[in-house]
Amino acid sequence: APLKDVEGMHPASIGNIVYRNVELGPCTAVAAVELLKETGVSLAGLEVTVIGQQFLWTFKYPEANVTSRGTLVLPANRTVSLNITSTDVIHAVHIPELGLKQDAVPGQYNRLQTTPTSQGTYQLYCAEFCGTGHSQMTATVKVVSYDEYQQWLEDQQESQQ
């Protein structure tokens, strides 16, 4: 089925398909955009707000209306934008295994974009001394398949109602 062919594809690859179809003609481009809408694939990628506060991390998935504390779940092979801020003092998101590091500053959002490719569990650390509980300011990062990610979101939505 054609819809199955699109599921799990990287949004940039799908964007390439749309671009090539635009070159072929407007009818084909319209069909490609409709296919994207039907599959729920966003070319913009996933947005997650990361909030640091003494001494924990909160992760908000605004498109799904889901909030998680202590665990960041990301789909593999999808572009993710992390919008990072703090509610109190300067913190820093550091996920060494994914090569990510960005300051979390009160009143400011710093954007970090990534496309995790390896499924697994990783450690997020605060890399900016932020007080007496700094060494315990960690979180778990889980990179999972797109299907597992969708299931996790659904489970979170049900439990947060």
Side-chain angles (χ1 to χ4, degrees):
L3 294 181
K4 284 287 181 199
D5 292 342
V6 174
E7 290 177 17
M9 285 181 67
H10 189 281
S13 299
I14 298 168
N16 237 348
I17 293 167
V18 172
Y19 174 76
R20 288 185 181 145
N21 284 319
V22 169
E23 288 180 337
L24 295 175
C27 293
T28 310
V30 169
V33 169
E34 288 304 313
L35 176 64
L36 292 174
K37 286 181 186 174
E38 286 179 33
T39 60
V41 173
S42 168
L43 292 179
L46 169 68
E47 299 273 337
V48 180
T49 302
V50 178
I51 304 165
Q53 65 187 65
Q54 294 175 317
F55 296 101
L56 60 92
W57 295 102
T58 302
F59 308 100
K60 292 187 176 186
Y61 301 76
E63 292 176 13
N65 198 26
V66 166
T67 299
S68 171
R69 281 204 167 147
T71 303
L72 173 62
V73 179
L74 302 173
N77 302 310
R78 299 285 173 132
T79 300
V80 180
S81 292
L82 302 175
N83 299 310
I84 303 166
T85 191
S86 169
T87 61
D88 45 32
V89 299
I90 296 174
H91 301 280
V93 170
H94 188 207
I95 312 168
E97 295 89 350
L98 299 179
L100 302 175
K101 188 174 181 185
Q102 180 63 57
D103 285 343
V105 180
Q108 174 179 316
Y109 284 85
N110 292 323
R111 186 179 182 102
L112 186 61
Q113 194 164 356
T114 187
T115 306
T117 56
S118 297
Q119 293 185 36
T121 301
Y122 306 96
Q123 192 68 49
L124 183 156
Y125 302 92
C126 179
E128 187 71 41
F129 182 74
C130 57
T132 57
H134 167 71
S135 63
Q136 285 82 43
M137 191 168 171
T138 61
T140 301
V141 179
K142 294 182 180 179
V143 178
V144 298
S145 72
Y146 185 71
D147 289 341
E148 289 175 272
Y149 172 74
Q150 288 298 321
Q151 185 61 55
W152 178 82
L153 280 180
E154 288 174 22
D155 293 345
Q156 296 303 304
Q157 289 168 334
E158 289 175 13
S159 69
Q160 293 178 16
Q161 289 181 350

